[in-house]
Amino acid sequence: LYDPMAFAAAVDRRRRWFVLASFCFLGILFQRHNALTSMLLPRLSQGEEVSPPSDAHVPDAPASPSPSGGDTPTDETNNSVARTPGHMLLPSRFHNYNNEPINDETDESRAKLRKLLSEPVPPPVGLRHRASPPGHDAILGLAAYPKNMGTFTRLVGSLRNTGYDGHIIFGVHSDIPQEEEDYLKQMDVTYYAVEFVVCDESILVGGSNAGKDAVRTRCGKGYERLTLEWGRFEMARQWLHACKECTGWSLVMDTRDVFFQSHPFASLPSALEVDGNENGNENDNEVADLLFIEEIAAHSSPVPEPHRYFQLGNPRYSSRTMPCYGRNHMRKFGHRSVLCSGTIIGTRNGMHRFLSVLVDEFKSNNRGQKGACKNSVRGLTDQWTMNYLYYTGRFGDYARTRTLPWGSGPVLTIGKPCTNNALRPNITHSQRDLIEFQGGGTGLILNNHEGDRSKARVAPVVHQYDRCHRWIRRWFGHHPELFQVTPKLAWK
C-alpha cells in the first residue's frame, strides 16, 4: 500500500544524501583548483615578454638543493675574496624585479639630498680600541649588552671563520669585561665604549620614555638627542666616516641575532668600481651602491598562505606611522614588501647616503612637537621610519638603490619563515618548512631563490635566527666550524 509519510521520509533522506555528496564533490574540485593554481601561477607570472609592474612578480618555485650545495663562496687558500666581474645582484628568476619608490625624483629633491650629504660628519665618541685588519670592507653594529661573550664568539667568530679580513666596528658596553675585550682584540675588532645616559628632555614623550626597553628609553653619552635605537645609526655613520680604510662594502646590522656562513660580500661586484661608476641606469644592477633586504613577501614566499609572509601595510606598521605621517600616507605602497632595518648593505658612498638621510629624519622628528613622531615605547621605530623614507623616495638616487627579494643576495632573514601563527594555540615559532638546507636538515642554510652555482646559494648572512631557537640550537651543534673553533687570523 502507498504510505505518503514513508514516501516523504525516503525522499527527504535521498535529498540529504544528494546535498552531502554535492558538497563533498565541490570540496574536491576546490582543492584541485587551488593545487593547480599554486603550480601554474608562478609560471604564468614569468613571461619574459611581459614587463611586470613596480611590484614584484611571483617567482618560480625554488629548485631543490643539490647535495653539494653549489660553489664554495670563498677561496680557502686566500683571505681576499675574488669578485667576478659582471655578476648580477639578483638571480634570474627576478630578472625584471622592480620595487622603486612611489614618487619621482626631481631636481629639487636631488639638490636637497646633495646639500644634506655635504654636511660635515662629527667625530665619533668613546674609541676604546682601533684595529688594523688588511681588508677594506666593514661590518658595523651596536653590541652594548653588559655581558656579551656569547654574541661576540658567534658573530665575530663565524665572520672571521669565513676568511673575512675586513673591519669589524662595534659599540660595546662601557663596563665591558676584560675577557670580552681580550677576545675582540684577538679578532682585530675596533670598538667604541657606549655609556648609557638619560636622554635629553626635548626628545622625551610625556616627560619620560617609560618602559623596560632600553633601546627606546636610554641614550648613549654624546648622543643624548637620539635614543639608542636611533642613535646607533648616527654612531655607525660616524664610525664609518672615521675609518678611512673602509672603502669597500659595509653592512650596518643588528648584532644579537645574526651569524655568518660565508663571506658576506663575495657575491657582490667591487665596491670601488661601483662607487666609481656614475653612469648607471635603473636596470643595471651592477651600479647599485645601496641594498635593502626584503623580508619574506607574497612574491618570494615558497607557499601562498598570507599568514606566512609580510606586507608593509600591516597593523604593526600602520599603528606606529599613521599618527605621525598621516592616515593615508601608505595608500600607494601598503601592499609592498617590508624592508629590514637590521641588515643594510652599501658602498662607502651608498651607506653614507643611507645613514645621513635616516639620521636627519630622526633628528627632524625629535625637533618637532608631535610626540607620535618620536622614538618611544609606542612611537616610531627605526624600521618603520626607514620603510616610509624608502617608499616615498627620500633616499634618492633610484638608479643606484635596490631592494633584494627574500631568499636572494647576501642576507637571509628567517624570523617570519620560522613563524606560523595558524598553528595557535600550539607553538608557532621554530618552524622549518620554509627553510632549505644543504644536503638535508643539518646542512648549511640556503637562499631559496639562488641557483646552485651562485656564490649566495649558501646564505652568507642569516638574520633573526632567534625565532627558530628550538631547532637552531641543535643545528649549531652540527656546525662547530662556524664559530666554536677560534679563528686564526693570517695577518696577526
Side-chain angles (χ1 to χ4, degrees):
L1 297 175
Y2 172 69
D3 186 345
M5 297 296 293
F7 179 77
V11 171
D12 185 59
R13 282 196 301 271
R14 291 181 180 179
R15 182 184 298 114
R16 281 184 288 179
W17 276 111
F18 177 77
V19 171
L20 180 60
S22 298
F23 274 112
C24 291
F25 180 69
L26 290 173
I28 293 172
L29 285 180
F30 182 74
Q31 287 180 341
R32 290 187 175 181
H33 173 268
N34 281 349
L36 184 61
T37 301
S38 64
M39 289 188 294
L40 291 180
L41 183 57
R43 290 159 177 78
L44 292 174
S45 301
Q46 282 291 310
E48 295 187 10
E49 70 280 359
V50 180
S51 178
S54 59
D55 304 314
H57 58 240
V58 182
D60 282 329
S64 299
S66 69
S68 64
D71 295 339
T72 303
T74 57
D75 181 354
E76 295 180 359
T77 64
N78 190 344
N79 283 332
S80 63
V81 176
R83 288 163 187 159
T84 306
H87 178 79
M88 300 302 289
L89 293 177
L90 299 179
S92 59
R93 68 187 73 244
F94 292 111
H95 58 281
N96 283 330
Y97 186 75
N98 189 351
N99 189 32
E100 282 194 351
I102 60 172
N103 300 323
D104 292 332
E105 287 187 272
T106 64
D107 290 341
E108 182 181 1
S109 67
R110 293 187 184 97
K112 186 176 181 180
L113 181 60
R114 283 195 299 270
K115 181 176 183 298
L116 175 64
L117 298 183
S118 68
E119 296 178 0
V121 179
V125 176
L127 178 64
R128 188 89 160 238
H129 175 73
R130 186 184 299 280
S132 54
H136 299 285
D137 297 322
I139 305 292
L140 309 98
L142 179 62
Y145 290 97
K147 293 184 178 180
N148 213 15
M149 192 63 180
T151 294
F152 290 140
T153 55
R154 183 187 61 253
L155 187 65
V156 179
S158 65
L159 179 57
R160 288 299 190 205
N161 272 321
T162 68
Y164 175 83
D165 64 354
H167 291 261
I168 305 173
I169 306 175
F170 285 157
V172 302
H173 198 276
S174 56
D175 295 325
I176 180 175
Q178 187 62 47
E179 176 192 21
E180 296 179 13
E181 281 207 75
D182 292 343
Y183 179 78
L184 294 180
K185 289 177 181 178
Q186 181 186 1
M187 293 296 103
D188 222 10
V189 175
T190 295
Y191 53 95
Y192 292 80
V194 178
E195 181 181 347
F196 291 11
V197 297
V198 176
C199 299
D200 188 280
E201 289 186 2
S202 65
I203 73 167
L204 302 180
V205 179
S208 67
N209 282 18
K212 298 180 180 179
D213 192 352
V215 297
R216 295 174 188 160
T217 60
R218 293 290 183 269
C219 292
K221 187 173 182 179
Y223 305 91
E224 288 85 358
R225 291 179 181 269
L226 292 168
T227 60
L228 287 169
E229 183 180 79
W230 289 4
R232 62 184 176 137
F233 292 96
E234 174 64 359
M235 295 176 194
R237 188 171 80 108
Q238 295 177 7
W239 298 339
L240 184 62
H241 186 265
C243 180
K244 303 307 180 185
E245 302 80 17
C246 297
T247 57
W249 288 100
S250 58
L251 167 64
V252 174
M253 64 172 194
D254 294 343
T255 58
R256 180 183 56 83
D257 56 357
V258 173
F259 67 90
F260 297 84
Q261 299 187 115
S262 65
H263 194 294
F265 308 123
S267 63
L268 303 180
S270 164
L272 288 175
E273 292 178 6
V274 170
D275 276 347
N277 184 349
E278 301 295 338
N279 301 313
N281 60 72
E282 61 184 12
N283 294 317
D284 184 2
N285 289 319
E286 285 299 326
V287 300
D289 66 1
L290 178 57
L291 307 175
F292 292 94
I293 309 302
E294 295 183 10
E295 301 209 28
I296 191 168
H299 57 274
S300 56
S301 175
V303 297
E305 289 84 358
H307 64 274
R308 299 306 303 274
Y309 57 79
F310 279 136
Q311 66 176 17
L312 188 57
N314 64 72
R316 291 174 60 213
Y317 172 83
S318 60
S319 64
R320 290 182 180 270
T321 56
M322 286 169 58
C324 176
Y325 295 122
R327 182 170 297 275
N328 296 320
H329 78 274
M330 62 177 180
R331 183 174 55 187
K332 293 183 179 179
F333 59 83
H335 59 290
R336 298 281 195 93
S337 302
V338 173
L339 309 179
C340 182
S341 63
T343 48
I344 301 95
I345 296 174
T347 64
R348 185 175 181 86
N349 290 345
M351 188 59 73
H352 175 63
R353 174 162 56 93
F354 164 73
L355 292 171
S356 297
V357 171
L358 186 64
V359 170
D360 181 67
E361 181 71 1
F362 291 157
K363 291 180 177 179
S364 176
N365 285 340
N366 276 341
R367 284 194 299 267
Q369 300 300 312
K370 204 170 184 179
C373 293
K374 300 182 179 185
N375 184 222
S376 66
V377 177
R378 295 183 179 84
L380 279 178
T381 67
D382 54 352
Q383 181 174 22
W384 303 137
T385 305
M386 185 194 81
N387 274 263
Y388 169 78
L389 293 176
Y390 174 77
Y391 283 112
T392 54
R394 295 277 292 282
F395 292 112
D397 216 347
Y398 295 1
R400 301 175 68 82
T401 306
R402 294 288 178 276
T403 72
L404 303 184
W406 179 87
S408 67
V411 180
L412 181 67
T413 305
I414 62 174
K416 181 62 174 177
C418 279
T419 306
N420 185 352
N421 291 328
L423 298 179
R424 288 174 178 162
N426 298 315
I427 293 174
T428 61
H429 60 76
S430 302
Q431 305 304 309
R432 296 166 55 100
D433 57 318
L434 303 189
I435 311 297
E436 287 190 9
F437 299 90
Q438 184 185 52
T442 60
L444 295 177
I445 297 171
L446 302 176
N447 262 323
N448 298 55
H449 301 307
E450 292 284 355
D452 284 340
R453 297 185 59 81
S454 168
K455 290 184 178 181
R457 176 57 167 155
V458 172
V461 186
V462 179
H463 184 212
Q464 294 184 358
Y465 70 85
D466 55 336
R467 279 75 154 175
C468 322
H469 60 86
R470 280 203 163 194
W471 62 262
I472 200 75
R473 291 174 181 171
R474 296 191 299 273
W475 184 88
F476 281 143
H478 289 284
H479 295 281
E481 78 281 2
L482 291 180
F483 59 87
Q484 294 177 26
V485 177
T486 302
K488 291 180 174 58
L489 306 187
W491 62 93
K492 292 196 70 174

